[in-house]
Amino acid sequence: MTTFALIHGGGGSAFDWHLVEAELRRLGHDTVAVDLPMSDPQARLWDYADAVVQAAGERPDLVVVAHSWGGFVGPLVCARVKAAALVLVTAMIPSPGEAPDDWWERSGRTSSDIEDEYELFLHDVPRELADRVLAHDRALAEKMSMDRAVHEPWPLTAWPDVPTRYLLCRDDRFFTPDFVRRHVEERLGIVPDELPGSHMVMLSRPRELADYLDQVADGL
């Protein structure tokens, strides 16, 4: 059995992972998904990581899974605990000293012309489920105040010494495949794994994502 620590993206919540959690538990694994302290304007990136570490407790064989903006948090968790692996799911990859707000320009990621949230993030998610998730996350977003975390430099001086995988989503309109392949090569020097699916692949293809994570665990 492997424990998966599931880290949501900016503007998201632990609820985003509920379908993947059910699939991973069906496969015999344990899961921990936690709401990051995005309502605390004084919370630092280390505070975000510590929220995940505290939720995971003493669980062994921890695989850290970070989605989107959570890419700034996942490596910090791995610096706090002895993780078996880090999996970035269509995630931002930070460089030492780079603030999350600076990542967009420094990574070369160009903005999208798509303004509708559903079409940009959730276009392959059943509409009823997408509406539930958007309503849930918008309610949390009203309390969101990430002032300190988005402006402070990423605190690690190097990538943590942990096996790292990157999952590219081929139908992602937010972090497009061409951008991701270049970003992963430049920042990590690896070739990403690929699955079909949108930016919110954990909602559109939860079984496929759980099967992928199960395969990562089997390979450790």
Side-chain angles (χ1 to χ4, degrees):
M1 181 186 73
T2 297
T3 297
F4 291 91
L6 306 170
I7 302 171
H8 64 80
S13 69
F15 182 68
D16 298 344
W17 290 105
H18 72 283
L19 298 178
V20 172
E21 286 195 278
E23 293 292 341
L24 287 171
R25 289 169 180 164
R26 178 183 60 82
L27 293 169
H29 301 295
D30 189 15
T31 65
V32 176
V34 59
D35 288 327
L36 299 176
M38 292 182 169
S39 62
D40 181 358
Q42 295 304 313
R44 306 183 67 169
L45 289 170
W46 279 122
D47 296 321
Y48 284 49
D50 288 342
V52 179
V53 172
Q54 291 169 13
E58 300 299 321
R59 290 175 173 87
D61 301 322
L62 191 68
V63 172
V64 178
V65 183
H67 175 246
S68 196
W69 192 92
F72 269 83
V73 180
L76 301 184
V77 175
C78 294
R80 287 283 203 240
V81 300
K82 187 177 180 180
L86 170 62
V87 181
L88 300 171
V89 178
T90 189
M92 300 161 74
I93 306 171
S95 289
E98 180 178 71
D101 263 5
D102 294 333
W103 175 90
W104 304 92
E105 181 177 355
R106 292 182 60 180
S107 69
R109 189 267 183 183
T110 56
S111 60
S112 172
D113 295 330
I114 303 172
E115 297 183 359
D116 181 79
E117 280 186 285
Y118 177 79
E119 291 298 328
L120 184 59
F121 298 108
L122 298 137
H123 56 90
D124 60 349
V125 177
R127 191 68 200 225
E128 182 180 356
L129 173 60
D131 288 344
R132 284 176 55 213
V133 171
L134 287 172
H136 182 273
D137 290 351
R138 282 169 181 160
L140 293 178
E142 292 178 1
K143 304 175 183 178
M144 190 180 299
S145 182
M146 300 168 62
D147 292 351
R148 190 167 187 175
V150 298
H151 296 302
E152 72 168 348
W154 192 62
L156 295 186
T157 58
W159 199 257
D161 185 18
V162 59
T164 301
R165 302 275 290 270
Y166 193 105
L167 181 64
L168 176 155
C169 297
R170 287 195 290 267
D171 305 306
D172 194 339
R173 297 173 178 173
F174 187 60
F175 293 158
T176 59
D178 286 345
F179 162 73
V180 167
R181 292 187 186 100
R182 176 178 57 78
H183 186 50
V184 174
E185 170 62 28
E186 291 176 352
R187 297 281 174 111
L188 296 177
I190 63 175
V191 176
D193 302 319
E194 298 190 16
L195 279 180
S198 64
H199 193 68
M200 299 298 285
V201 66
M202 71 283 290
L203 296 169
S204 64
R205 297 177 182 269
R207 176 161 291 191
E208 292 94 327
L209 179 53
D211 287 342
Y212 168 79
L213 294 174
D214 181 55
Q215 292 172 9
V216 170
D218 283 346
L220 297 176

